[in-house]
Amino acid sequence: MTEFNLYEATGLTSQELAEVFQYNPRAYMAVRGAVAEKHLEKVLENLMQRGDIDDYRSALGDMEKDFYLQVQGKPITLECKNVEVIKTSNNKSSQLGYVEYLAEQGHLSSLLIENILREIGPLKNSLQNLSSSNLKNFFKRLPQKYRESGLVKYQYSASKVPHPKLGQLPDNDFINQFSQSPMTIDFQRTRNSTNEDGDTRRNRYYQVGEIDIVAACLFARTMEWKFLYAEAKNFEKHAQYSDRYSNRLRIEPGFWTSDLVELIST
DNA sequence: CAGTCCTCAGGAGCCCGGTA
DNA sequence: TACCGGGCTCCTGAGGACTG
């Protein structure tokens, strides 16, 4: 392995790089996908050392799955996905809960809150009394690092989970902790390819059979780089395209497990 | 009718490689 | 060689459907 020096690569100190990620959520987001894959690779390396898998390799190029495993002569494809950030803007109580958390943690001063309240119209006595459209306006005026996905939202999410450490509870009980706001995965490619004759929309969805196992990285909801695994054959199919999986993937008690070995050895 | 839930389409920022 | 389509990552926002 060649030495890769962060300072050489970026000309920034680790503190300065931290600032880049803090104030540029999109840059952090792009990195996080690769970081999750690295953590998954460490899991696989460990399993190989223990002899639970014979071999693995990561993707070599576009359109490849993230990892290819060999288990007792059987090839298995493994796709790594980050779970989505908690929804903080889908209803009033979730918005309020998040804003209150920001205030409690000292991210938003009461002065800042008052100023935003003043900006969005006639002064209301409190956040709680805002209509949902005014609350939406309030959100739009928050600094980007709070409004968008990032460490603060992940911390908020983890703070709402009584037992955020995977393994402390049976997997189904662990998953049930999120029943108020289930963990989800955006299970689709990012863009359509346009060179398809006819329906180009379909290309965005994963084809049934192209992935054996999905590893869901929980970091965005628990602050841990840990994974839940499931066999893709259990996933819902797309309503319109029977040869594709639905892009809405929800982690619910049932076929998700923290034990990858159990999945691949069956 | 306000509030909620959910899906769809596409964006930001990164990169590579085929083609004009 | 420059351009641009499209690959990757995850996320947002609009808007339709539903609910109380």
Side-chain angles (χ1 to χ4, degrees):
Chain A
M1 189 65 80
T2 55
E3 275 305 313
F4 182 93
N5 182 289
L6 267 185
Y7 183 77
E8 187 181 31
T10 64
L12 298 176
T13 65
S14 60
Q15 183 54 43
E16 288 166 335
L17 270 178
E19 284 168 20
V20 168
F21 290 142
Q22 182 179 2
Y23 292 102
N24 189 339
R26 302 298 169 113
Y28 180 42
M29 176 173 90
V31 166
R32 237 174 22 252
V35 169
E37 283 177 25
K38 183 63 183 175
H39 282 282
L40 184 54
E41 187 185 327
K42 289 169 73 174
V43 171
L44 297 176
E45 185 61 35
N46 192 260
L47 292 186
M48 196 165 84
Q49 298 299 327
R50 284 171 27 181
D52 288 321
I53 60 179
D54 304 326
D55 200 10
Y56 73 90
R57 72 164 177 86
S58 49
L60 296 175
D62 286 349
M63 299 305 280
E64 282 219 317
K65 299 304 120 204
D66 291 329
F67 292 99
Y68 293 81
L69 319 187
Q70 282 289 333
V71 182
Q72 295 159 11
K74 197 172 66 173
I76 294 174
T77 54
L78 177 61
E79 183 75 7
C80 179
K81 290 279 177 190
N82 276 314
V83 298
E84 291 179 298
V85 68
I86 191 169
K87 301 266 189 293
T88 50
S89 58
N90 50 355
N91 59 43
K92 275 180 84 168
S93 66
S94 66
Q95 280 177 326
L96 272 177
Y98 180 53
V99 173
E100 279 162 5
Y101 173 85
L102 291 176
E104 276 164 27
Q105 298 295 312
H107 295 301
L108 300 181
S109 67
S110 47
L111 183 63
L112 178 63
I113 293 175
E114 277 170 37
N115 283 341
I116 299 180
L117 282 175
R118 232 191 309 278
E119 273 179 45
I120 62 177
L123 188 58
K124 298 285 193 302
N125 37 9
S126 74
L127 275 169
Q128 283 78 9
N129 293 343
L130 290 179
S131 69
S132 81
S133 62
N134 275 338
L135 198 54
K136 207 171 181 178
N137 264 328
F138 184 95
F139 248 67
K140 280 187 179 165
R141 285 158 211 266
L142 291 179
Q144 187 187 24
K145 61 178 174 174
Y146 302 137
R147 216 173 50 231
E148 294 198 351
S149 158
L151 217 44
V152 175
K153 270 201 188 177
Y154 306 155
Q155 288 162 345
Y156 167 66
S157 175
S159 78
K160 291 168 67 89
V161 185
H163 302 281
K165 286 190 186 306
L166 189 64
Q168 284 187 338
L169 297 176
D171 290 336
N172 283 344
D173 294 344
F174 175 83
I175 294 169
N176 267 328
Q177 297 182 104
F178 298 86
S179 56
Q180 290 292 316
S181 177
M183 291 189 286
T184 54
I185 290 172
D186 191 15
F187 196 53
Q188 61 179 343
R189 298 181 221 283
T190 309
R191 294 183 194 175
N192 273 333
S193 49
T194 49
N195 59 352
E196 175 96 345
D197 45 0
D199 191 352
T200 56
R201 176 84 200 126
R202 158 197 306 252
N203 289 336
R204 190 157 180 187
Y205 305 115
Y206 290 111
Q207 197 154 14
V208 170
E210 79 173 280
I211 294 166
D212 294 318
I213 294 175
V214 167
C217 180
L218 305 180
F219 180 76
R221 296 296 297 269
T222 67
M223 298 292 293
E224 280 199 317
W225 296 99
K226 295 277 182 66
F227 298 87
L228 282 171
Y229 308 90
E231 289 182 281
K233 67 179 183 192
N234 294 312
F235 296 168
E236 246 177 67
K237 306 293 187 295
H238 193 275
Q240 232 177 311
Y241 311 109
S242 58
D243 62 332
R244 307 281 162 161
Y245 294 113
S246 164
N247 57 318
R248 301 308 312 165
L249 187 49
R250 191 178 281 218
I251 299 183
E252 284 168 332
F255 47 76
W256 290 91
T257 172
S258 58
D259 187 355
L260 178 57
V261 175
E262 174 198 312
L263 273 192
I264 59 181
S265 58
T266 52

